[in-house]
Amino acid sequence: MALIQSDIVGPLAGAVGLGFRAGLAEALLAAETTAASFVEVAPENHLRVGGARGRRLAAATERWPVVSHGLCGDLAGAAPVDEDLIDALGAFLRRHGARWYSDHLCFTHVASAEVHDLLPLPHTEEAVARVAARVRLLRERLGLPVAVENISAYLRAPTPAGVAALDEPGFVRRVVEAADCLLLLDVNNVYVNAVNFGFDSDDYVARLPLERIVQIHVAGHLVQQRADDGSPTLLLDTHGEAVAGPVYDLLARTLARIRNAGLALPPILLERDHQIPPLPVLEAELRRLQRIVAQSRGPTPGAVEPLGAEAVGARDAGGT
Amino acid sequence: MSHVDDVARGWRSLLLSREPAFFDDAVVPRSRQLVYRDLVRNTLGDVLRRACPHARRLAGEDVFSRLIARFLDERAPTTRLLHAVAGEFTAWLATLPADALPDASFAELCHFEALEIDVTLSPTARQEPPSAGLIPDVDEAGIVVVDPSTRLCVYFHPVHRVTASTTAWPSPLSSPALLCCFQRAEDFAVVIVSPAVARILVAAGEGVSVGAALDRLAAEAAGSEAVFDRRRARADLTDLQRRGAVVGFRRP
């Protein structure tokens, strides 16, 4: 399958959207105007679901394009795919006119248990092959391009003795190449991991196959600090905070890089799953994302100015 | 021999066992491993605490948390749908011996609370209309068609009467309560049904017509001291239809 990024992104190029979560769905639907020009849903939260949640999704579908982002694809799983779930997922994606389907590059199902969290994989060629096989299977069954998302992590899964682990961008690239799939780049996850593991987030992005980035996620994180000097010890990808200043900056530099490569700007999604603030606060974040996109589309490729922290809720969590 | 599978098993041992088996501390800092253990267990625990507020309050936070921990360690969720985890928890509770639970009504109360989530998240006939050809009035030659959200349950304690102000566990009932639970106006609705209506609804699931089910009930009543009122059973079905639990009747 030829994957032409601009064709797949299509009318969503450079669009800014919001995660359609239960905690803000009513407010978003009630708003006469919003800066969100698409919404993203987790199909697992809507499969075989009706009632008020079903009504709200139907209303959202009438108003915005819907992008689907899975939570439990278990891309490295050893268990057979759940045929009923795949069929239901396929029907859901067809019903909502999906242009692609994405899920996370991680374990979600471990030894017969569903953890409902995103667990790091070992960065090995065996894991690359495992994920690639599952992604190809998904693509075939769903009849859609599939994108994998880089996850946030707080540890590196162990690798076998004597086997050198790929570094994270190398692992992501290898998976995308082996699976011949797309990439959903979460810039908050890049930033979180850069702090947690001490690497340079721009180097990371530079090593990715930019021509495969079909969507970008932006979210907030929580900073755990040392008691003595306040320096960050661990960033937690909570989706429960305002987007941090350095994440906006990384997004701006990433978009510039994509534009400089002559590629379509991917749609950008603001994720907010916890401690959901009043909608105007999220709208301010969306508008800030729009400004970053506008600057990225400016006449001078690569000349994106770092943005100030004027937006509501923005804060700096410390540089990489 | 798959290293990826070894790591997956390692994750399970770390996250979902009473005594966590850690990855090699020299390779993976233990503090970071504990971050994941807390995240996973807190996420799943919060889902169950929110799902069963009355059972949790009556049992007490410590007791309820211990049962959650035991569920995670001994069974763990298998569903990929987060909203279905509470149903798996209550199914597991039903397998426990009575002395493992804080009260004889506890498992039923958790079941009823999880059922409320199940019913209110279910599609309804308005959202997933049944196939055409439904007969609107009670038709003895027809089979009952229930709303997709309708569930029939039997409880030995009046768990459906527990509210936020209830301070004591419900006492056992003299005879079991047969509850027809369904979604009405996006809310959770409960109707106590007679044994006859319950039998008709169960029979419908087996493809048995209303008339055949009524005949069966009448035959059973004839051989006993029980009184069977055919007209009353039909009226009860009409009432369930009016409320929305039954959407009509279809010919076999």
Side-chain angles (χ1 to χ4, degrees):
Chain A
M1 184 187 297
L3 295 173
I4 310 298
Q5 184 245 19
S6 58
D7 290 350
I8 296 166
V9 168
L12 291 176
V16 169
L18 187 59
F20 192 70
R21 308 300 189 245
L24 59 81
E26 289 287 9
L28 190 60
L29 288 168
E32 286 189 15
T33 60
T34 171
S37 52
F38 72 97
V39 294
E40 183 191 85
V41 299
E44 290 92 336
N45 291 337
H46 295 275
L47 295 178
R48 304 163 193 150
V49 165
R53 188 182 289 184
R55 171 183 53 77
R56 289 192 290 261
L57 178 61
T61 303
E62 288 182 8
R63 189 165 169 187
W64 300 285
V66 173
V67 168
S68 293
H69 179 53
L71 298 170
C72 301
D74 193 37
L75 296 183
V81 294
D82 181 332
E83 296 290 340
D84 290 344
L85 194 66
I86 293 282
D87 288 345
L89 177 60
F92 181 92
L93 296 172
R94 285 189 293 279
R95 192 160 59 246
H96 293 97
R99 302 177 70 85
W100 68 86
Y101 177 66
S102 62
D103 208 321
H104 301 84
L105 191 45
C106 65
F107 289 116
T108 56
H109 190 86
V110 289
S112 304
E114 192 64 44
V115 294
H116 293 278
D117 213 318
L118 310 175
L119 307 177
L121 302 171
H123 291 170
T124 61
E125 286 294 340
E126 185 200 353
V128 168
R130 178 76 70 87
V131 173
R134 182 59 64 98
V135 169
R136 285 193 295 267
L137 176 69
L138 266 180
R139 181 174 64 211
E140 186 179 315
R141 292 292 304 275
L142 299 175
L144 281 173
V146 172
V148 294
E149 179 184 356
N150 59 303
I151 64 161
S152 55
Y154 316 121
L155 60 77
R156 294 298 191 207
T159 50
V163 174
L166 297 160
D167 65 9
E168 188 179 327
F171 179 68
V172 173
R173 173 178 270 280
R174 281 287 299 122
V175 166
V176 170
E177 289 171 348
D180 189 19
C181 69
L182 299 165
L183 177 61
L184 191 167
L185 177 63
D186 189 317
V187 291
N188 180 61
N189 290 350
V190 173
Y191 178 77
V192 163
N193 290 3
V195 173
N196 289 345
F197 299 109
F199 60 74
D200 184 282
S201 53
D202 287 287
D203 284 350
Y204 180 115
V205 172
R207 292 179 54 202
L208 297 175
L210 300 180
E211 72 282 3
R212 294 299 176 98
I213 298 176
V214 75
Q215 189 181 345
I216 289 179
H217 275 177
V218 177
H221 56 254
L222 186 68
V223 184
Q224 289 187 347
Q225 295 170 310
R226 286 170 59 101
D228 48 0
D229 65 359
S231 61
T233 55
L234 186 69
L235 302 193
L236 292 169
D237 176 33
T238 55
H239 296 189
E241 324 288 324
V243 178
V247 174
Y248 282 119
D249 294 343
L250 178 59
L251 171 68
R253 294 192 300 273
T254 300
L255 291 179
R257 203 180 285 277
I258 291 171
R259 181 168 183 253
N260 288 346
L263 299 164
L265 292 183
I268 298 157
L269 183 96
L270 174 63
E271 296 183 292
R272 188 65 182 251
D273 300 336
H274 305 290
Q275 302 187 82
I276 294 173
L279 190 57
V281 176
L282 296 178
E283 290 288 342
E285 290 191 293
L286 290 170
R287 286 194 297 274
R288 184 167 181 181
L289 293 173
Q290 285 180 325
R291 288 197 296 277
I292 293 173
V293 171
Q295 281 186 287
S296 301
R297 282 174 165 154
T300 313
V304 176
E305 295 292 326
L307 295 172
E310 79 280 10
V312 175
R315 64 182 174 77
D316 193 324
T320 51
Chain B
M1 199 62 183
S2 161
H3 174 71
V4 173
D5 292 339
D6 286 345
V7 174
R9 282 189 288 272
W11 273 118
R12 168 131 194 196
S13 302
L14 168 65
L15 304 171
L16 298 169
S17 59
R18 198 163 84 159
E19 298 297 332
F22 291 95
F23 293 119
D24 183 352
D25 289 356
V27 179
V28 185
R30 181 166 292 202
S31 62
R32 299 288 181 95
Q33 299 184 54
L34 289 170
V35 167
Y36 277 101
R37 183 173 165 90
D38 289 346
L39 282 174
V40 167
R41 296 177 77 90
N42 287 342
T43 297
L44 295 170
D46 287 347
V47 166
L48 297 176
R49 287 184 191 92
R50 283 198 304 272
C52 304
H54 299 325
R56 170 188 168 195
R57 182 175 49 78
L58 290 173
E61 202 65 55
D62 287 350
V63 170
F64 197 77
S65 292
R66 276 199 295 276
L67 282 164
I68 289 173
R70 195 172 160 193
F71 169 66
L72 297 180
D73 296 337
E74 295 179 12
R75 179 67 56 94
T78 61
T79 175
R80 300 192 174 195
L81 308 180
L82 196 58
H83 54 263
V85 172
E88 291 194 338
F89 176 61
T90 61
W92 171 78
L93 287 175
T95 68
L96 295 183
D99 62 3
L101 301 172
D103 186 78
S105 65
F106 177 79
E108 285 189 0
L109 180 55
C110 288
H111 183 275
F112 184 71
E113 296 197 270
L115 183 71
E116 180 171 351
I117 296 171
D118 179 39
V119 167
T120 52
L121 285 176
S122 170
T124 61
R126 185 180 298 179
Q127 292 164 318
E128 289 186 359
S131 54
L134 276 190
I135 300 161
D137 300 318
V138 175
D139 175 26
E140 291 209 7
I143 299 166
V144 177
V145 178
V146 296
D147 185 81
S149 70
T150 298
R151 312 283 187 267
L152 185 65
C153 294
V154 183
Y155 294 113
F156 295 87
H157 300 81
V159 291
H160 55 293
R161 295 201 197 110
V162 173
T163 68
S165 57
T166 302
T167 56
W169 292 107
S171 301
L173 292 162
S174 54
S175 59
L178 299 163
L179 304 186
C180 179
C181 306
F182 55 100
Q183 193 186 128
R184 185 169 58 191
E186 298 186 351
D187 216 340
F188 182 58
V190 179
V191 174
I192 298 173
V193 295
S194 66
V197 168
R199 291 278 298 276
I200 294 167
L201 294 177
V202 171
E206 298 160 353
V208 177
S209 69
V210 174
L214 289 170
D215 290 346
R216 201 182 284 173
L217 286 162
E220 288 174 10
S224 72
E225 293 181 358
V227 176
F228 171 62
D229 185 339
R230 193 178 189 103
R231 190 184 304 175
R232 172 67 189 273
R234 286 178 55 115
D236 287 348
L237 280 179
T238 302
D239 183 56
L240 282 183
Q241 190 174 8
R242 180 182 62 77
R243 293 170 188 267
V246 168
V247 294
F249 303 83
R250 66 173 171 82
R251 288 291 172 93

